[in-house]
Amino acid sequence: METGKRTSVKQKLILAGIEEIEEQGIQNFSMRRVASRCDVSCAAPYKHFVDKNDFIMSIVQYINHEWNIIQREISDNAGPDLKELIIDICMAYIKFLIDNPQFRSIIMLKDVNMPKEFQRERLRLSNTSGILVKKYCKQVNMPEDVMKRKLYIVRSLIYGAALMVDNGELQYNDELFAQVRWAINREFEIE
């Protein structure tokens, strides 16, 4: 990140850009409206971003950066049990999604018109869980098809829990996390 005043303006623009995407979607994204939200000139975003695509890519990179800080902390404090690390990362991702609902409009975004590098960057959010699940499955000699099913179920539990909390179907409390922890743990018991 840059230092000084430019960082704060850039970060304000990114956060306002997230709100813009949440409200208007990618197709109707307006750098002018984002600048207006930040009380800066309509030229200000162009001091930090080349164009709309670069701005949106920076938003995704910002979200990835925030999530990577959390993952690094969990990994640095993890013990040797790979299954526990997977569960801890999954639980933290649920919390990240619930605590940052504004990020979900970006994380869940599917826009075939966006450049491939945007899609790749967005998918990096779930790379760690995928890598860990694959590593664990290889470690315990699970077949490829079983690994794919487990990855699908784990990701469904993560996104489903966040969505159900949003919809009011589940309470955001320790009981929720205990239930999801139990379900993920069960998925990785040796069959």
Side-chain angles (χ1 to χ4, degrees):
M1 283 275 176
E2 300 167 29
T3 58
K5 190 173 181 177
R6 290 180 61 151
T7 299
S8 63
V9 171
K10 184 174 183 178
Q11 187 166 358
K12 276 178 63 175
L13 289 166
I14 286 172
L15 295 174
I18 291 168
E19 289 176 17
E20 175 74 8
I21 291 171
E22 191 173 31
E23 292 172 12
Q24 302 295 326
I26 290 284
Q27 296 304 322
N28 296 319
F29 183 86
S30 165
M31 291 175 73
R32 226 177 242 281
R33 276 194 305 262
V34 171
S36 177
R37 287 176 193 251
C38 295
D39 292 323
V40 296
S41 75
C42 58
Y46 294 97
K47 292 178 183 174
H48 302 280
F49 313 104
V50 175
D51 56 19
K52 175 181 165 179
N53 286 342
D54 183 49
F55 194 159
I56 293 169
M57 179 66 88
S58 294
I59 289 170
V60 176
Q61 290 168 340
Y62 172 83
I63 294 168
N64 279 342
H65 175 74
E66 295 299 305
W67 173 232
N68 285 330
I69 290 169
I70 295 166
Q71 288 183 103
R72 242 187 328 272
E73 185 177 312
I74 292 167
S75 296
D76 289 349
N77 296 316
D81 187 344
L82 187 55
K83 182 170 72 168
E84 272 307 306
L85 177 58
I86 291 168
I87 294 170
D88 289 346
I89 295 270
C90 291
M91 303 314 291
Y93 196 37
I94 292 168
K95 187 174 180 356
F96 181 76
L97 291 170
I98 293 170
D99 290 349
N100 299 288
Q102 71 280 14
F103 292 171
R104 277 183 282 173
S105 57
I106 310 299
I107 293 168
M108 303 295 190
L109 183 67
K110 174 84 169 134
D111 187 339
V112 294
N113 297 320
M114 290 305 293
K116 295 263 189 247
E117 56 272 7
F118 168 82
Q119 299 296 346
R120 278 192 298 275
E121 184 69 24
R122 191 180 54 75
L123 291 173
R124 281 189 41 225
L125 276 162
S126 58
N127 270 357
T128 301
S129 63
I131 290 166
L132 291 173
V133 167
K134 289 174 186 174
K135 184 176 178 181
Y136 177 80
C137 291
K138 281 184 179 180
Q139 190 178 65
V140 297
N141 296 316
M142 283 187 190
E144 179 85 11
D145 64 322
V146 174
M147 181 272 302
K148 287 179 181 177
R149 184 183 75 228
K150 294 199 178 295
L151 186 56
Y152 165 75
I153 291 169
V154 167
R155 287 190 175 153
S156 297
L157 286 165
I158 291 168
Y159 292 116
L163 181 64
M164 291 175 81
V165 167
D166 255 10
N167 292 340
E169 296 174 59
L170 292 174
Q171 295 295 311
Y172 184 37
N173 57 27
D174 291 339
E175 183 181 336
L176 164 70
F177 285 97
Q179 289 173 353
V180 176
R181 180 175 283 280
W182 175 85
I184 293 172
N185 186 56
R186 190 187 74 185
E187 269 314 299
F188 291 102
E189 290 176 357
I190 307 300
E191 297 175 3

